[in-house]
Amino acid sequence: MRRGFSFLLAGVIAGGMMLGLAGPALAHNVLVSSDPLAGSSIEAGPSSIALTFDQPVNGGPGLNAISVTSTDGGHWETPGEPTIKDNVVSLPLRPLGPAGEYTVSYRILSADGHPVADSLKFTLTKAGTGTPAPANEVAANPASTPATGTTGETGGGVPIWVWILGAVVLLGGGVFLALRGGVKEDQHQ
């Protein structure tokens, strides 16, 4: 019984270590920096938006999108797909117009294959001379209207906590059966 318990304990420890290492590998991308910085106040409008994530971003037509809107609903991004270079996603902007708050909404395809959507804001303190994109240009460019949300994820998929809970239940059942089987063997000897 003692040897069987040692093997069982070693298996439990190894399983726990594997679960601990699997979490980071299954994590969705997280925004770590932006240019302009989230919540910043800037005097001149940027020529582009750059979003830096903690992991490389998956690319492909229609998979990633960035939009920049002012409080009046005007769009300030240029038509086309964002550029992806490893973990940085960027998109050129039109010259900004009125002073005020601008919202950068994005949707990217995470390294684990799930879409991640969120937004950030910055404030332009001095009015620029630009005009927003015409409505027909925005409507013709599906990349300029990403799904937005504050959850950080728009994709389906099973949350990792479900997998961990399932593993704990299976492991617990295995331990119970192994210990119960070991007790029966000792009683028959």
Side-chain angles (χ1 to χ4, degrees):
M1 163 108 175
R2 188 174 285 277
R3 186 185 330 174
F5 184 73
S6 296
F7 283 122
L8 182 63
L9 183 60
V12 169
I13 291 171
M17 289 174 61
M18 288 171 57
L19 280 175
L21 295 174
L26 298 173
H28 300 320
N29 286 36
V30 174
L31 182 70
V32 294
S33 180
S34 64
D35 183 17
L37 290 171
S40 66
S41 292
I42 56 175
E43 210 170 278
S47 60
S48 66
I49 292 292
L51 305 172
T52 304
F53 295 88
D54 64 338
Q55 302 175 61
V57 174
N58 288 321
L63 298 177
N64 300 290
I66 297 175
S67 71
V68 178
T69 55
S70 51
T71 54
D72 62 0
H75 279 260
W76 301 90
E77 68 276 355
T78 59
E81 299 276 334
T83 301
I84 301 159
K85 188 172 181 183
D86 297 324
N87 62 331
V88 178
V89 181
S90 59
L91 185 72
L93 295 180
R94 303 169 66 86
L96 296 186
E101 189 172 72
Y102 287 79
T103 301
V104 178
S105 299
Y106 62 87
R107 183 191 70 241
I108 58 126
L109 186 60
S110 190
D112 68 356
H114 287 95
V116 173
D118 209 343
S119 63
L120 61 98
K121 296 177 187 242
F122 68 89
T123 302
L124 182 65
T125 58
K126 285 188 177 179
T129 58
T131 57
N136 62 345
E137 184 180 293
V138 174
N141 184 23
S144 70
T145 54
T148 58
T150 57
T151 62
E153 178 185 345
T154 59
V158 179
I160 193 164
W161 67 266
V162 172
W163 293 105
I164 292 172
L165 180 63
V168 168
V169 169
L170 286 174
L171 191 59
V175 168
F176 174 77
L177 290 175
L179 291 175
R180 185 169 180 187
V183 170
K184 285 182 181 178
E185 285 178 22
D186 286 345
Q187 290 175 351
H188 292 298
Q189 289 181 357

